[in-house]
Amino acid sequence: MVMSGEKPGPRTAADATDAAAGGDAAAPTPRTPMSLRERKKQLTYQAVSDAAISLFLERGFDKVSVAEIAAAADISKPTLFRYFPAKEDLALHRFADHEDESARVVAGRAEEESPLDALRRHFLDGLEARDPVTGLCDVPQVLAFHRLLYGTPSLVARLYAYQGRSEAALARALGERVTDRLAAGQIVAVLRILAMENWQRISEGRSADQVYADAVEAAEQGFVQLRSGLED
C-alpha cells in the first residue's frame, strides 16, 4: 500500500492493473530473490493477464471468453487454467502479491512501534503517495481498471477471497489468538472501506488532490475507532 513519492501514470492496461493492485509498491521487508524458474513463471502470468485485461477493458469482463484470452496469449485453454483456476483471477492475480502486505508491515515495524501505529503510518504514506491501493488515485488507466473491478459482481466476489487471505496473514502476524483474528478482521475491513470511499469520491469527478484532506481525516478517524472500539 505504500510508496514514497508520486509515481507517473501507467501507460498500458498492464501498468494500470499493476498500479491498481499496488504492483510496484516497495515491500516493507526484503523478500528472498526469485529463482529463474519462478521469474519465468511470473512472466507467463503477467503476459497472459496482460492479454486478458486489455480485452476486459476494451469489451467488458463478461463479453470476453476464456478461449479468446487463450488465443490472444497464444496458449491453450488447459495451459491457461493451469495458471489461472478461474477467469476472475486473470484480472485479480496481482492482488495476490499484496495479500500479506499488512502482515509484512506488522512484522517489519520498529521495535517501539505498535502494530496499529505501523499500519496507520503505512496507509497515510500511501495516501500521500497517491497509491492506488488506498483508492486515492486519479490516473485514468487506474480509474478504468477500478470501474471494471467494482462494476463486475464476480470480480468483487473474487476480491473478497483475496481480502480473506490478507486477513488470515495479518492474524498470524499479530499472534493468531482469537483476539488477533478479531483485530485482523476489523483492520482489513477499515482499510477496504477507506479505499472504497476514496475511489467513490474520485469516480464522481473529484481529483486525488481535492480528496486528499478528507481521506486523511477519514483514515485518522478509522484508526481512532480501531483503537477505542465501537463505544465512544
Side-chain angles (χ1 to χ4, degrees), residues 103-174:
R104 287 186 281 118
V105 170
V106 169
R109 73 191 190 278
E111 186 174 345
E112 67 277 5
E113 190 174 34
S114 73
L116 207 56
D117 284 340
L119 291 165
R120 169 187 169 275
R121 169 183 51 78
H122 190 64
F123 191 79
L124 291 175
D125 285 349
L127 291 176
E128 185 176 3
R130 307 299 190 261
D131 187 335
V133 173
T134 68
L136 193 67
C137 183
D138 53 12
V139 173
Q141 295 93 331
V142 173
L143 289 176
F145 177 76
H146 280 158
R147 283 193 293 270
L148 171 72
L149 171 60
Y150 296 122
T152 307
S154 61
L155 289 177
V156 174
R158 192 72 171 180
L159 183 58
Y160 277 106
Y162 284 79
Q163 291 171 337
R165 292 192 289 269
S166 178
E167 181 181 315
L170 179 56
R172 289 192 296 271
L174 292 171

